Amino acid sequence: MISTIEASRTFFVEANEPHEIEQELNAAVDAARQHAMKDGSQGILVTRHGHSIFTVPVSSKVPYGQTNEENGPVGSPRPPQSLGQGVQHDA
């Protein structure tokens, strides 16, 4: 499942099977890249929050044209439904 957390700038990815994780992350990175290309000043940061939970934001921490990965606090982001925002996308 891919959900938008912040208007095409931050995506929440949750999947359990390795092939689903890969597909969902690729789709989220592609969507974030589209926004990053419009802005032209930020890159993409993929953060793992557990075995099956990731966030993929356009980030000022990452130089334009790059995608970086990091490990974040386990379970830190809440799914968008509990935040009262977010839109699900089928990948």
Side-chain angles (χ1 to χ4, degrees):
M1 171 186 76
I2 301 173
S3 301
T4 303
I5 295 175
E6 181 187 345
S8 298
R9 292 186 54 84
T10 302
F11 298 90
F12 175 85
V13 175
E14 185 172 20
N16 293 311
E17 298 297 323
H19 71 278
E20 291 175 342
I21 292 170
E22 181 179 8
Q23 289 175 342
E24 302 275 335
L25 281 174
N26 287 339
V29 168
D30 287 345
R33 183 177 294 122
Q34 294 301 314
H35 184 80
M37 289 171 59
K38 289 177 188 173
D39 180 39
S41 65
Q42 300 179 355
I44 299 165
L45 181 63
V46 179
T47 304
R48 177 189 293 265
H49 300 280
H51 295 292
S52 61
I53 299 173
F54 302 82
T55 52
V56 182
V58 174
S59 174
S60 60
K61 292 188 205 177
V62 181
Y64 176 70
Q66 293 184 17
T67 300
N68 292 350
E69 299 176 6
E70 70 178 11
N71 289 314
V74 175
S76 61
R78 292 173 287 162
Q81 295 84 345
S82 63
L83 293 172
Q85 54 188 345
V87 178
Q88 288 187 3
H89 299 274
D90 294 327

